[in-house]
Structure formats: C-alpha cells, structure tokens
Amino acid sequence: MAFEKVSVIGLGYIGLPTAAVLASRGIDVVGVDVTEKAVETINRGEVHIVEPDLDIIVKAVVTTGKLRATMVAEPADAFMIAVPTPFVDDHQPDLSYIRQAAEAIAPVLEKGNLVVLESTSPVGATEQLSCWLAELRPDLHFPHNSRERADINLAHCPERVLPGHVLHELVANDRVIGGLSPSCSERARELYKTFVRGECITTDARTAELCKLTENAYRDVNIAFANELSLIADKLKVNVWELIELANRHPRVNILNPGPGVGGHCIAVDPWFIVSSAPEQARLIRMARDVNDGKPGYVIQQVEEAADQFKRPVIACLGLAFKADIDDLRESPALEIVAELAQQNIGRILAVEPNINQLPPQLSDLGIELVSLEEAMEASNLVVALVDHSEFKSVPKPQLASKVVVDTRGLW
Ligand code: SAJ
C-alpha cells in the first residue's frame, strides 16, 4: 500500500526538513508541533530555523499545498516522531516528549498505520513507545507483544544528518531501520525509499537504537582523544596542530581536531544514554565525556593567565556558535567560556559572531558587547579564537602579531 498521507510530529531541525522533503516527493504531509508560532510560520511558507535552502523548499511545498502544519494530530498512513530527547539532571534520558507524541497520535491511529521513532533514543525506547500506545489504544494490537499479528507497525529509524548539510544528507545518507518485527522494518523501509537515495538497511529496534548512540559516542571519544592531546602538547611545549598533522601522515591514523569543548545537542548528550544503561561497561565513553566537558574550563584558565599581563585587558572572543559557519548557540562551549570570562570580570569582553545580529540576554546582561571582526581586532589586546568560522581565517597575520592570541581551533 502506498503512503498517501504522512504526519511528522515535531517540526524542528529534523522534523521540518523531513516533512518538506517528503512533501516534495508528492506525498501529502501534515506537520504537528506544540509551538503555535512555529505552526504559523510554516503555514506562511516561512521557516523558524536556519538551515541552508530549507526556506526555499518549505515555501514551495506550502504553496503547492503538499505541506501543512497544525497543533492537533490527524489521521494519516504513517507517523514520524522527531521530538527532542534531552537528559535530566543526573544524565538520565528524558522520554517525556516521546510520551507526549504518543498521547497526541494515539486517538487518530488506525489499523495498518506505521509509526516511526526518529528521535535519538536509549535502547528500549521504541518498545516503550509501543507499550504506551497500547495502553492508550487497548482496541489495537501492537508489535511489542503481538509481533507479526500487530495492527500497527512500529520502527526506529534514527536521524543522522549533519546540521548545515541536512537537505543533502537526508536524501544521500544510508538509513538504519529497526522494526519491532520484520514486517515493521519492511513497512518502514517502504516509507524511507520514497525519499532516500542511500541504502535503507533493516535490523531490530534495539540494534538501531544503539547504532545511533554508537555513531555519536564514536565521534565524542575521538574528539576527546584530540582534546586530551592538546593538554598533553601544551604541557610538553609542543604545537598540537603540527603534531596532529604529522601523526595523520600515517596511513592508519586520523586524529580529529581539538577545540574549546564539544557542543550541540547530540554528541555531548547521546553518549550519556549508553553510560546510563551500561554504567559499569561504558568506562571509556564516560571518560571521553569528562575530558570534553573539562575543556572549556581549561580555555578559561588559559585566557585568565594571558589577561594577567595587561593592566586593562580588552578580550576579543571570536565565535559563539557551537561549531563553524552556523548560527546555533545552544549548548555551545564558546558561549559558556565567554559568559564565564565576563562573570570573572577580568576585562572588557568583545564578542564577534557574524551569524547573529543580537546577543542573547544571558550575554548582554553581563556587559558583553557584540562587535564586528574589524572593531574587535582594532580595540583588543588579547584575541581568543573559539569557533573556526570562515570569516576568521582571513585575519591578517601582521594584525595578530601585535596581540596575545589564544587559538583553541588552530585557525592561525
Ligand atoms: N568538534 C571538535 N572537533 C572535531 C569535530 C567536532 O571539537 O574534530 C566539535 C564541534 O565544534 C562541535 C561538536 O564537536 O562543538 C559537534 O560537532 P559535529 O560536527 O561533530 O556534530 P553535530 O553535533 O553537528 O552532528 C552530529 C553528527 N554525528 C556524527 O558525525 C557521528 C550528525 O551526523 C548527527 O546527525 C548529529 O550529531 C545528531 O543529530 O545526532
């Protein structure tokens, strides 16, 4: 049976691009979100998040009537859940948004429907979702206990797109699809084949859940290795960038880049889902989190020491986003460092972030000024590079020579 109408629950960084791409394939898509403003913005053909080319495709599919946003779920052939899965205080996963999504779709579920969980989830979450839906709809059979006799198909298909490249990766990347039964996997694969050019590989739900967590933990551990090397190299008075470049000449060595810490909503979060389900076994993964979380503190200490030599330190902090060439400041180590420097009152703080027009109140309230790169280079005696935005690479060397520089990204 073809998918004529698909509902996407959660219209954020993953849900909105997915909804727009599905709609561009001629499927009727209804997006559901709890934020009224997001729903109104999308229905005007506009976007509430920054991602290259997303505005163009959303405008097109809203204009042709293929994509519509609402706050109340309606019947559809398939439901794709793309809601946040943060952690609560002690690093335990918070599944309350998935639970809310289950409550939203349960009343409109019909026999033969497919439900796909795209949100990054701890192992067992897809089965938990099936149990919640079964409680809410006792008239239907669900695959966690009815397997192949279920009325509803349920699968996990974790998103794995890189912010900044979402529209390309949504279509090009391979997808791992883990159903609660083989026919759940097969049905979900049919849905993904309508827009994915990469391979759609089927497995069981637990493997798919752990696969996503493994991908991000792998990256976290490798960044931690680079960050630890940067501390070792500093202590031993070796240039870490030259060191890594030389070591990477070995055919089987590929060290990532050290930085001011690991930001974003994925890599600094997902490894904890592994640690919380297997705390005794996940020793290296936990240690990597500690190493990466410790890096902002080390940078702050470096800046304090550098500022000590000036009577009136004027500190230019280059970059606030969590990584290069995006506007996303959430969970950003650069932001954490700049705020802490301002709180310690060690000098005048000038922040440069070419991708935003206004500082978030948490920074402006601390007296931090948002200035252009030119102004910052003119007025500062200490320059701290926190993000490797393209704009910063072209700062003239002679201009830097007259300043004290803390370069956390190896920009210069
Ligand atoms: N970083 C470094 N050094 C590096 C690479 C990254 O310090 O060599 C830092 C970045 O500056 C940033 C953080 O790590 O603060 C994370 O950036 P990222 O580009 O590695 O990853 P994200 O968080 O933008 O996206 C990741 C991706 N996962 C992997 O590459 C395994 C993406 O494919 C996932 O879809 C996404 O997480 C997600 O949503 O889970």
Side-chain angles (χ1 to χ4, degrees):
M1 208 176 61
F3 292 96
E4 278 163 22
K5 183 172 170 187
V6 173
S7 177
V8 178
I9 316 297
L11 296 172
Y13 282 86
I14 302 301
L16 181 56
T18 306
V21 168
L22 272 167
S24 74
R25 296 293 190 271
I27 294 172
D28 285 315
V29 182
V30 178
V32 183
D33 203 283
V34 290
T35 317
E36 196 174 354
K37 209 164 151 224
V39 168
E40 285 171 3
T41 309
I42 294 162
N43 284 333
R44 280 200 308 272
E46 292 163 16
V47 294
H48 60 295
I49 51 179
V50 177
E51 179 61 38
D53 299 332
L54 184 62
D55 51 344
I56 301 170
I57 170 165
V58 167
K59 175 144 214 106
V61 290
V62 170
T63 308
T64 57
K66 282 289 163 193
L67 173 64
R68 200 158 47 79
T70 107
M71 292 184 71
V72 184
E74 39 187 271
D77 300 317
F79 297 86
M80 299 168 89
I81 299 175
V83 295
T85 40
F87 55 62
V88 277
D89 292 345
D90 52 352
H91 297 123
Q92 295 299 319
D94 171 8
L95 301 188
S96 60
Y97 296 94
I98 298 181
R99 167 88 209 188
Q100 280 171 32
E103 284 164 5
I105 64 170
V108 297
L109 273 185
E110 290 168 5
K111 256 187 186 176
N113 279 172
L114 166 70
V115 178
V116 183
L117 179 63
E118 281 226 4
S119 313
T120 304
S121 298
V123 175
T126 311
E127 186 151 359
Q128 174 70 73
L129 172 62
S130 187
C131 296
W132 281 333
L133 289 170
E135 272 168 34
L136 295 160
R137 287 297 299 270
D139 56 318
L140 292 170
H141 290 103
F142 286 84
H144 66 279
N145 52 18
S146 301
R147 301 291 158 200
E148 295 293 347
R149 289 180 296 103
D151 298 318
I152 305 289
N153 287 310
L154 236 141
H156 180 55
C157 179
E159 61 85 9
R160 38 167 42 167
V161 289
L162 193 70
H165 302 261
V166 168
L167 289 173
H168 167 73
E169 291 205 354
L170 253 182
V171 175
N173 290 2
D174 293 345
R175 296 299 292 253
V176 175
I177 299 171
L180 286 181
S181 71
S183 41
C184 291
S185 302
E186 207 32 58
R187 188 73 180 131
R189 209 173 83 90
E190 286 166 22
L191 175 63
Y192 282 90
K193 280 319 270 180
T194 61
F195 68 98
V196 173
R197 225 180 28 234
E199 231 182 291
C200 294
I201 306 136
T202 57
T203 177
D204 58 80
R206 293 176 78 83
T207 307
E209 288 159 346
L210 190 55
C211 181
K212 165 70 192 196
L213 303 179
T214 300
E215 291 160 19
N216 280 353
Y218 170 85
R219 197 147 167 89
D220 199 42
V221 168
N222 280 278
I223 298 170
F225 182 78
N227 276 335
E228 185 165 291
L229 265 186
S230 75
L231 308 186
I232 296 168
D234 277 1
K235 182 176 159 68
L236 303 180
K237 299 195 174 24
V238 168
N239 178 322
V240 71
W241 307 102
E242 187 189 357
L243 171 73
I244 290 175
E245 201 180 314
L246 294 176
N248 281 349
R249 294 287 182 118
H250 185 289
R252 283 174 298 283
V253 174
N254 186 13
I255 304 168
L256 292 179
N257 298 314
V262 169
H265 348 283
C266 310
I267 296 197
V269 176
D270 303 351
W272 286 116
F273 293 1
I274 299 182
V275 175
S276 73
S277 11
E280 278 170 35
Q281 292 74 18
R283 292 184 298 159
L284 181 62
I285 293 172
R286 200 211 148 90
M287 185 61 89
R289 280 283 71 244
D290 288 344
V291 169
N292 286 334
D293 278 351
K295 197 66 201 288
Y298 176 75
V299 174
I300 290 163
Q301 207 183 320
Q302 277 182 308
V303 178
E304 281 167 358
E305 282 165 18
D308 247 2
Q309 56 193 291
F310 299 106
K311 218 170 172 178
R312 277 193 205 84
V314 180
I315 309 169
C317 296
L318 306 193
L320 296 173
F322 87 81
K323 65 178 188 174
D325 300 327
I326 60 165
D327 69 331
D328 196 342
L329 308 188
R330 294 175 303 166
E331 315 299 333
S332 167
L335 192 115
E336 181 187 336
I337 290 166
V338 174
E340 182 60 30
L341 289 173
Q343 256 149 7
Q344 299 201 357
N345 226 348
I346 52 172
R348 188 175 157 210
I349 310 271
L350 308 175
V352 183
E353 179 43 76
N355 301 306
I356 62 168
N357 302 318
Q358 213 183 347
L359 278 184
Q362 81 216 70
L363 294 191
S364 50
D365 291 353
L366 291 168
I368 298 164
E369 303 157 61
L370 183 68
V371 301
S372 69
L373 178 60
E374 292 70 30
E375 280 173 82
M377 292 308 294
E378 187 66 41
S380 60
N381 40 31
L382 172 55
V383 178
V384 187
L386 293 170
V387 186
D388 43 346
H389 287 317
S390 313
E391 290 89 343
F392 301 156
K393 293 183 182 149
S394 56
V395 173
K397 291 260 150 60
Q399 205 172 13
L400 286 168
S402 60
K403 324 250 177 214
V404 173
V405 175
V406 176
D407 182 359
T408 70
R409 295 278 187 178
L411 262 172
W412 309 300

